[in-house]
Amino acid sequence: MSPDGLPEAFDVLVHPARGLSGELRAQPSKNYTTRYLLAAALAGGETRVVGIATSEDAGAMLRCLEAWGAGVSLVGEDAVIRGFGASPRAGVTLNPGNAGAVARFLMGVAALTTDTTLITDYPESLGKRPQADLLEALERLGARVSSHGGRLPVTISGPVQGGTVEVSAERSSQYASALIFLGPLLPRGLDLRLTGQIKSHAPLRQTLDTLSAFGVSYSASEDLSRVSIPGGQTYRAGHVAVPGDYPGSAAILAAAALLPGEVRLDNLREHDLQGEREAVAVLREMGADIVREGDTLIVHGGQPLCAVTRDGDGFTDAVQALTAAAALAQGTTTWENVSTLRLKECDRISDTRRELQRLGIGAEETADSLSVTGAARIAGGVTADGHGDHRMIMLLTLLGLKADAPIRITGAHHIRKSYPLFFRHLETLGARFDYLPTDTP
């Protein structure tokens, strides 16, 4: 059994729910946890990261930082990191599992080392995700790089001095974030130019916010197309607290909006930099009754919802949760400018369309959009494919709660990538699940 008390690998049978009510504290942010942990390792002293996420991504970062020579101690809900500064161990093989952002951040920092190799035991997921844009930028800075056609496994060797470099922002903002983490530790610093249409500004701002939290100076243009970081800096050790997680909370908020009852969700800062904070505004626009009291959001559920058309690029990790609301809203909802969803754990446009259609919900796609026509009811009584994707599992779970008959979701244990307590949290609000062990890893 895993720490959450559930089988190591399992499918979940989602039973229809009449309502959801209760109080929850939002889980810690996955995105801030991984950023703070990396920055703590890049500091020379001891940093306490308060209230870390317990997701697989956080575990992957901790595991890799420890392999690189960081001291890692878990004290209650906190992590105490004794950093290696600008000198991670050389000749180390790192396995970030299926954590794409973790892998990319580590690739950037690997230019401080020699012969760091990154591998994955998820060849059909992370192993297929493109890394060439980042690797080419590292090569232009002087790193020696070998890869499997721009994909993992990857070996990177420095040292690099810094300077001016371009990286494409068309596929992902994570390439730029990786270089930003590296920049302060380079003798010549980094003058980073982002090319193409920048995707996901919010995670970039979270990366820069992390630098500020660790005492690193930088300057950036308003549109983030240029970031300048003076060299020879050090990350300052100290004490940082992880905020609540908006991407995962978007699923709880959407579930609460769909079903009758009152749900209170605490630990969500009103002015947080996470782009998925916009999920609150989207749900309100759809007709959800959500009010804020400080860091607490209160949802009075069961209100009729209506369709919206929104540019989803700023809140990509909430699109799947919001799609559950769209599937039961009146009219056709369209998420535009979301092509980066195709480059996640699964193709979150095509695979979502297929799963919705399997459940009798109308859905269409273009190269960079997903449209969903709300259904009056969901029959259920089918098995849906979780596609090994935590956000897909959240979407399907929410639809199961509203279906007429139970829905089985395969590979539901992959929820642990970002939200290990997702099912347990919903159970405290009144949901009911059966956990069906499988032999699939």
Side-chain angles (χ1 to χ4, degrees):
M1 302 288 283
S2 293
D4 53 14
L6 300 177
E8 191 67 30
F10 65 92
D11 295 352
V12 66
L13 188 69
V14 183
H15 292 275
R18 293 184 177 180
L20 296 176
S21 293
E23 299 183 12
L24 289 175
R25 182 172 178 82
Q27 69 162 358
S29 164
K30 173 178 76 79
N31 289 346
Y32 267 107
T33 293
T34 53
R35 284 165 169 78
Y36 282 178
L37 292 174
L38 177 57
L42 294 172
E46 185 173 280
T47 297
R48 190 178 188 109
V49 184
V50 177
I52 66 168
T54 57
S55 62
E56 288 181 348
D57 279 28
M61 180 64 86
L62 287 169
R63 183 174 64 249
C64 291
L65 295 177
E66 196 166 25
W68 250 348
V72 174
S73 300
L74 298 180
V75 183
E77 297 179 348
D78 305 346
V80 178
I81 308 296
R82 294 175 297 283
F84 43 64
S87 303
R89 286 176 182 156
V92 172
T93 296
L94 305 177
N95 184 349
N98 202 26
V102 172
R104 287 164 175 165
F105 296 167
L106 296 174
M107 286 181 211
V109 175
L112 298 171
T113 74
T114 55
D115 295 326
T116 289
T117 298
L118 287 98
I119 62 173
T120 181
D121 43 14
Y122 289 82
E124 297 305 310
S125 185
L126 180 55
K128 289 185 175 180
R129 294 170 72 173
Q131 317 296 344
D133 291 336
L134 173 57
L135 299 179
E136 289 167 5
L138 290 170
E139 286 181 315
R140 287 193 291 272
L141 286 171
R144 291 179 288 112
V145 174
S146 64
S147 69
H148 184 66
R151 291 172 168 78
L152 297 182
V154 167
T155 299
I156 299 170
S157 291
V160 295
Q161 298 300 308
T164 299
V165 70
E166 293 184 348
V167 69
S168 172
E170 287 280 357
R171 292 177 183 265
S172 174
S173 67
Q174 293 167 3
Y175 307 138
S177 286
L179 295 167
I180 288 169
F181 280 118
L182 171 66
L185 302 175
L186 299 177
R188 292 169 49 197
L190 189 70
D191 188 2
L192 180 62
R193 318 284 179 86
L194 276 64
T195 63
Q197 182 183 4
I198 298 175
K199 299 294 184 183
S200 305
H201 285 76
L204 277 176
R205 297 192 190 281
Q206 292 166 45
T207 299
L208 294 172
D209 187 48
T210 299
L211 263 59
S212 295
F214 283 80
V216 172
S217 64
Y218 66 89
S219 61
S221 62
E222 185 174 349
D223 65 357
L224 300 183
S225 63
R226 181 168 180 172
V227 179
S228 296
I229 306 174
Q233 300 189 70
T234 57
Y235 285 79
R236 183 182 63 215
H239 184 283
V240 291
V242 178
D245 183 73
Y246 269 97
S249 296
I252 300 296
L253 294 170
L258 286 169
L259 289 155
E262 179 181 292
V263 172
R264 301 174 66 94
L265 188 57
D266 188 20
N267 194 34
L268 292 173
R269 302 184 308 195
E270 183 174 4
H271 301 295
D272 197 283
L273 291 176
Q274 297 172 68
E276 287 74 19
R277 178 171 60 90
E278 184 66 13
V280 179
V282 175
L283 286 168
R284 284 173 172 161
E285 185 180 344
M286 297 179 81
D289 182 353
I290 304 176
V291 296
R292 177 180 286 278
E293 293 181 357
D295 290 345
T296 300
L297 289 169
I298 305 162
V299 186
H300 297 98
Q303 305 299 317
L305 301 180
C306 61
V308 296
T309 296
R310 293 290 297 261
D311 183 328
D313 179 60
F315 52 88
T316 52
D317 280 346
V319 166
Q320 306 308 111
L322 294 171
T323 294
L328 289 151
Q330 183 176 5
T332 298
T333 292
T334 298
W335 311 120
E336 299 176 333
N337 192 28
V338 291
S339 60
T340 56
L341 289 177
R342 296 192 183 277
L343 303 173
K344 303 294 184 178
E345 284 76 4
C346 71
D347 181 335
R348 291 184 188 164
I349 294 179
S350 291
D351 291 336
T352 296
R353 174 187 56 76
R354 282 190 285 267
E355 294 307 317
L356 292 175
Q357 290 173 341
R358 189 201 306 262
L359 290 166
I361 300 164
E364 297 181 355
E365 65 176 282
T366 67
D368 66 352
S369 74
L370 175 67
S371 295
V372 181
T373 300
R377 57 183 289 271
I378 300 171
V382 301
T383 295
D385 187 347
H387 292 273
D389 188 319
H390 51 129
R391 305 291 179 203
M392 179 74 80
I393 294 162
M394 293 178 193
L395 160 62
L396 295 171
T397 300
L398 269 54
L399 296 179
L401 294 175
K402 284 289 292 183
D404 295 339
I407 292 175
R408 180 169 181 159
I409 305 170
T410 63
H413 55 281
H414 290 289
I415 197 69
R416 296 184 180 118
K417 184 178 190 301
S418 67
Y419 199 162
L421 294 178
F422 177 67
F423 296 115
R424 295 306 198 195
H425 278 181
L426 285 172
E427 283 176 331
T428 67
L429 299 177
R432 186 164 67 91
F433 307 107
D434 293 333
Y435 304 102
L436 311 171
T438 69
D439 297 327
T440 303

